[in-house]
Amino acid sequence: MSSTASRIIFKDFITSGLPSISDFVVEKVPAPTKEQLKDGQVIVSPLYMSIDPYQRGRLTGTKDSYVDSYVKGEPITNFLVAKVVASANKDYKEGETVLADDGKWQTQYIANASDIRKVPVREGISPKDYLGVLSMPAFTAYYGTVILGKPKAGETILVSSASGAVGQMVVQIAKARGLHVVAVAGSDEKVEHVKQLGADVVFNYKTCGKYSDAIKKAAPNGIDIYFDNVGGEFLDAAIANCKNYARILICGLISEYNASSASDIHGIKNMRYILSRKVTMSGFIILDHLHSPEHQQFFEEFSRLYREGKIKYSWHETNGFENAPQALLDLFSGKNVGKSIVKV
């Protein structure tokens, strides 16, 4: 093992606006040694690191959130796949591949056994797939669409941010269950990508004109389910196009994450339709459901479908540990098509 390790920290909390590359620091620290391990601990080295929208909230320092903020001076953390490089735990051998739900952005670090788990061995599934087609965003799509959305064949679903890690899975889940899928993406390239996933109608929200009119044109009979990844003005337009007893699933609010002030956030004006059309709006945090019976159900179904070639999955892969901050910024600016990860 190397005598030094690299880690990524941030200089200060970023309470508003878009982060910039100067907000992050890649620094060298002494690498941990096997002699430092306590009984049951291991040293791991990340192989792939997940990049996810919810990380923006962890950079703000807020205490009013569903997930803890990052700690200044400590490495950024997130889902990752790693290799065990030294072990003082009989259950983990050197060279084994593990998953961490809150692993450190550090090229070598000490982990407790409670912080990691072995990568399940499934035919046709690679370790990287546990940050993609079998990852938290994919389970988010499954839980929201299937468990909360309760879709019925023939219904119409609207999906925002449909080329992203969650959206691309919502499109395919919905099509597999016989829904008419109306999808939204942010470039012509992304529109074509989502069409290839099987969406029935796709439009570019940046060039479509008035959102409510574009949704009405794409779904003239209204929508039964709206899977929302963006919030803001588009959510408001979707509400206006809901049918009676529609279900709105609030998964993300990426249009609001980098707002500089409250005045930059679009207030909902169409709430009257929630009442008059008996619409159900549900917010959910998938971290509450990790390792639940539904999570296991998702694993089994999607492992099989992926092996059988019935699910397509796109990656936006950035090479190099030191480029992780830029990968995070690219996600916030919409440059990714598919699930963003960093190959260390």
Side-chain angles (χ1 to χ4, degrees):
M1 296 187 295
S2 172
S3 60
T4 61
S6 296
R7 68 177 189 172
I8 297 173
I9 64 173
F10 64 103
K11 293 179 181 178
D12 203 352
F13 291 120
I14 309 158
T15 57
S16 64
L18 274 168
S20 67
I21 199 67
S22 61
D23 290 317
F24 301 89
V25 177
V26 182
E27 63 180 13
K28 296 287 187 180
V29 294
T33 65
K34 190 170 185 178
E35 291 70 32
Q36 292 175 299
L37 293 177
K38 297 176 182 178
D39 187 46
Q41 293 182 323
V42 298
I43 298 175
V44 298
S45 178
L47 302 173
Y48 293 96
M49 304 190 305
S50 183
I51 306 292
D52 296 291
Y54 87 105
Q55 291 181 268
R56 177 64 185 92
R58 301 190 71 183
L59 292 167
T60 64
T62 182
K63 293 178 170 55
D64 182 23
S65 180
Y66 62 89
V67 64
D68 291 338
S69 287
Y70 291 132
V71 179
K72 285 193 290 185
E74 295 295 325
I76 290 172
T77 60
N78 199 20
F79 298 91
L80 58 78
V81 173
K83 180 174 69 173
V84 176
V85 295
S87 178
N89 188 309
K90 61 181 178 57
D91 295 323
Y92 292 93
K93 298 181 175 59
E94 293 181 14
E96 286 189 318
T97 306
V98 297
L99 295 165
D101 290 344
D102 204 31
K104 295 180 181 181
W105 283 16
Q106 183 166 319
T107 52
Q108 293 179 32
Y109 69 91
I110 293 175
N112 295 317
S114 58
D115 298 328
I116 59 174
R117 61 190 187 281
K118 291 184 181 181
V119 171
V121 177
R122 286 183 167 94
E123 182 182 354
I125 303 295
S126 72
K128 183 173 75 168
D129 290 327
Y130 289 94
L131 297 183
V133 71
L134 297 177
S135 67
M136 179 268 288
F139 179 47
T140 301
Y142 175 86
Y143 191 89
T145 306
V146 177
I147 305 301
L148 297 180
K150 297 179 173 58
K152 303 177 184 68
E155 290 187 320
T156 296
I157 185 172
L158 175 66
V159 187
S160 58
S161 194
S163 69
V166 175
Q168 65 173 324
M169 297 302 292
V170 175
V171 168
Q172 295 179 82
I173 292 168
K175 285 304 297 180
R177 283 164 170 76
L179 275 69
H180 181 77
V181 177
V182 176
V184 187
S187 71
D188 292 343
E189 175 193 4
K190 292 179 179 181
V191 165
E192 289 304 313
H193 169 66
V194 177
K195 286 180 179 177
Q196 293 174 13
L197 296 177
D200 297 286
V201 183
V202 191
F203 65 87
N204 183 342
Y205 76 88
K206 293 182 179 178
T207 59
C208 70
K210 190 176 179 181
Y211 292 157
S212 57
D213 291 345
I215 297 170
K216 179 70 174 177
K217 181 179 178 181
N221 296 320
I223 57 176
D224 299 285
I225 303 172
Y226 172 43
F227 197 108
D228 182 29
N229 291 300
V230 298
E233 186 178 359
F234 198 88
L235 169 60
D236 206 17
I239 292 172
N241 282 275
C242 280
K243 292 182 182 179
N244 286 340
Y245 302 105
R247 289 85 74 200
I248 297 176
L249 312 170
I250 306 296
C251 172
L253 303 168
I254 200 166
S255 72
E256 304 177 13
Y257 290 161
N258 297 304
S260 297
S261 66
S263 63
D264 293 334
I265 298 174
H266 178 90
I268 301 300
K269 300 178 175 64
N270 288 317
M271 285 298 291
R272 63 188 181 277
Y273 296 120
I274 300 292
L275 173 61
S276 64
R277 297 176 185 171
K278 290 81 71 176
V279 175
T280 300
M281 183 184 292
S282 303
F284 69 104
I285 303 300
I286 201 61
L287 300 179
D288 295 340
H289 307 285
L290 295 182
H291 315 304
S292 64
E294 292 85 1
H295 200 186
Q296 187 59 38
Q297 179 182 333
F298 156 79
F299 267 130
E300 296 304 324
E301 179 177 345
F302 275 65
S303 297
R304 175 180 55 79
L305 292 173
Y306 191 53
R307 287 195 304 268
E308 294 172 353
K310 295 179 179 178
I311 291 178
K312 300 175 183 177
Y313 202 80
S314 298
W315 301 92
H316 187 92
E317 187 170 309
T318 299
N319 288 313
F321 175 83
E322 70 282 359
N323 294 319
Q326 187 61 56
L328 191 59
L329 300 184
D330 288 347
L331 177 70
F332 297 145
S333 60
K335 293 182 180 179
N336 64 302
V337 177
K339 177 69 180 77
S340 291
I341 62 168
V342 171
K343 182 179 181 180
V344 178

